[in-house]
């Protein structure tokens, strides 16, 4: 459905997107992630034909994003992060206006507007002036706008920003339902949302794609570690120094609260150092209150590892 090859975008001397390639199949929900300035919004604008590429090619449903941009816009629904709305218009008026601009006329236009009003939970505010709506409702108007011409592809930039928890759940359910008939590309900063929604994830950093896989398989890109936490009494620095000498311990850090220390140990993947740590605590008469394994790396850990800044050169 979407094929991107060696895509590059320059803004003057600045390179926003640097020679990236990827493909998206029909019916996929693909998450495009990255820190601010990674190039993901620029990529989404190129996919939606709001920006031309500087180099490389973008093909959507067999159409070229440069020579066939109008045809691509007809089959694509794009919702930017900051939805551009006409605040003086009523919701239903705005959606009829947008549908007409997108070539939807007559009875079909009325049907589509009514459908997206219901889909996006806007029926009760259909006659409200947009400028008087909350940000959450304005986001939903933007989503309805993206859907009103029944596009094959949806490109959604932060679709749940500004929504309350119930609205977020409803929007997630709607996106999952839409994927049955649409290809969805979405950007979000809510990492648990990616794990719940996306069949595949592209992580961008500094204009490059640094990882591409399912959320679960991405966790295997970085070697896992065993992690342990200990709560015990005694002097913090000697405890850290002694625990650091245990075979399999990579790093030991800690903090003190009152009479107790909490020690965080990062160990080799298959190392279980609890027995030796208990013996060391007993030998040094450090009262051990708790020793437990910590959860492994989650998706947030993986994202941070792949996008963190390196040392200055």
């Amino acid at each position: 459905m979407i094929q991107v090859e060696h895509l590059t975008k320059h803004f003057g001397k600045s390179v926003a997107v640097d020679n990236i390639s990827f493909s998206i199949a029909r019916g996929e929900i693909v998450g495009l992630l990255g820190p601010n300035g990674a190039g993901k919004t620029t990529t989404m604008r190129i996919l939606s034909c709001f920006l031309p590429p500087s180099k490389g090619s973008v093909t959507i449903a067999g159409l070229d994003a440069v020579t066939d941009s109008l045809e691509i816009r007809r089959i694509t629904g794009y919702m930017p992060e900051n939805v551009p709305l006409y605040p003086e218009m009523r919701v239903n008026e705005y959606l009829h206006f947008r549908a007409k601009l997108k070539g939807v006329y007559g009875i079909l236009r009325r049907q589509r507007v009514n459908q997206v009003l219901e889909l996006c939970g806007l029926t009760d505010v259909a006659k409200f002036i947009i400028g008087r709506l909350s940000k959450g409702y304005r986001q939903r108007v933007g989503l309805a706008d993206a859907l009103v011409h029944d596009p094959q592809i949806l490109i959604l930039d932060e679709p749940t920003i500004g929504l309350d928890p119930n609205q977020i759940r409803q929007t997630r359910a709607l996106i999952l339902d839409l994927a049955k008939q649409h290809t969805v590309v979405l950007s979000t900063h809510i990492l648990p949302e990616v794990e719940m929604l996306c069949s595949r994830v592209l992580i961008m950093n500094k204009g490059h794609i640094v990882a591409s896989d399912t959320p679960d398989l991405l966790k295997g890109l970085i070697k896992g570690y065993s992690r342990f936490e200990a709560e015990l009494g005694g002097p913090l620095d000697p405890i850290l120094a002694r625990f650091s000498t245990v075979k399999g311990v990579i790093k030991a850090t800690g903090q003190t609260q009152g009479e107790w220390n909490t020690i965080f140990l990062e160990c080799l993947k298959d190392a279980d150092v609890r027995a030796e740590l208990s013996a060391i605590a007993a030998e040094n008469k450090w009262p051990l209150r708790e020793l437990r394994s910590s959860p492994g790396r989650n998706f947030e850990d993986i994202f941070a590892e792949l996008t963190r800044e390196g040392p200055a050169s």
Side-chain angles (χ1 to χ4, degrees):
M1 177 58 76
I2 298 175
Q3 186 71 41
V4 175
E5 295 183 358
H6 307 293
L7 176 62
T8 299
K9 182 62 181 178
H10 298 275
F11 293 100
K13 295 182 179 179
S14 175
V15 182
V17 178
D18 192 359
N19 194 34
I20 66 171
S21 299
F22 61 89
S23 61
I24 298 174
R26 186 182 300 274
E28 276 195 292
I29 304 180
V30 174
L32 191 60
L33 305 183
N36 292 332
K40 57 188 185 298
T41 294
T42 299
T43 300
M44 298 181 88
R45 287 176 178 172
I46 293 172
L47 293 179
S48 58
C49 296
F50 276 78
L51 287 175
S54 300
K55 296 179 182 178
S57 65
V58 176
T59 305
I60 298 176
L63 301 169
D64 183 87
V66 175
T67 60
D68 305 313
S69 62
L70 291 179
E71 287 81 359
I72 289 176
R73 292 186 190 197
R74 291 189 182 101
I75 63 169
T76 301
Y78 175 49
M79 176 184 168
E81 179 179 352
N82 298 308
V83 181
L85 302 170
Y86 291 106
E88 69 279 5
M89 295 183 76
R90 299 183 189 277
V91 172
N92 56 357
E93 292 172 343
Y94 174 77
L95 291 175
H96 275 282
F97 168 68
R98 293 292 294 161
K100 188 174 181 180
L101 287 179
K102 295 178 182 185
V104 185
Y105 298 103
I107 295 175
L108 179 59
R109 186 175 77 227
R110 290 193 292 272
Q111 290 174 343
R112 286 300 304 162
V113 169
N114 289 335
Q115 285 171 3
V116 297
L117 284 171
E118 185 174 352
L119 271 175
C120 298
L122 293 167
T123 304
D124 291 341
V125 297
K127 296 183 179 180
F128 283 36
I129 294 173
I130 292 173
R132 297 178 182 174
L133 297 177
S134 67
K135 184 174 182 180
Y137 271 111
R138 292 197 298 271
Q139 284 293 110
R140 288 201 254 177
V141 174
L143 182 56
D145 177 10
L147 288 167
V148 74
H149 59 305
D150 195 20
Q152 297 179 34
I153 300 163
L154 283 172
I155 299 174
L156 310 176
D157 197 353
E158 300 286 351
T160 59
I161 191 170
L163 303 183
D164 65 38
N166 287 330
Q167 293 169 345
I168 288 173
R169 293 184 66 177
Q170 292 166 3
T171 302
R172 288 172 180 167
L174 173 59
I175 291 171
L176 285 171
D177 189 55
L178 290 171
K180 297 173 183 177
Q181 297 180 339
H182 303 76
T183 301
V184 181
V185 182
L186 68 89
S187 170
T188 178
H189 282 93
I190 306 173
L191 297 183
E193 190 164 82
V194 175
E195 294 188 85
M196 285 185 277
L197 289 176
C198 297
S199 55
R200 194 155 53 90
V201 179
L202 304 175
I203 297 180
M204 294 188 69
N205 192 34
K206 298 180 181 178
H208 298 276
I209 292 178
V210 295
S212 172
D213 218 319
T214 66
D216 287 337
L217 290 178
L218 277 176
K219 296 175 185 179
L221 287 176
I222 300 174
K223 291 181 179 179
Y225 297 97
S226 297
R227 290 182 173 184
F228 300 94
E229 292 181 19
E231 292 185 24
L232 70 168
L236 179 61
D237 289 341
I239 291 172
L240 293 176
R242 182 66 183 89
F243 280 6
S244 296
T245 65
V246 173
K247 184 178 179 180
V249 173
I250 299 170
K251 185 179 180 181
T253 57
Q255 59 189 27
T256 300
Q257 285 188 323
E259 299 179 355
W260 297 95
N261 306 297
T262 302
I263 310 297
F264 306 95
L265 299 147
E266 192 162 288
C267 307
L268 294 175
K269 185 173 182 179
D270 298 320
D272 189 341
V273 297
R274 286 174 290 184
E276 187 170 353
L277 296 176
S278 298
I280 291 170
E283 175 187 341
N284 289 274
K285 298 183 179 179
W286 295 329
L288 182 62
R289 184 160 69 173
E290 188 171 2
L291 179 58
R292 60 184 179 273
S293 60
S294 300
R297 291 189 172 192
N298 58 28
F299 195 68
E300 289 187 7
D301 296 325
I302 304 306
F303 178 83
E305 184 76 17
L306 292 168
T307 60
R308 68 183 178 184
E309 294 287 339
S313 56

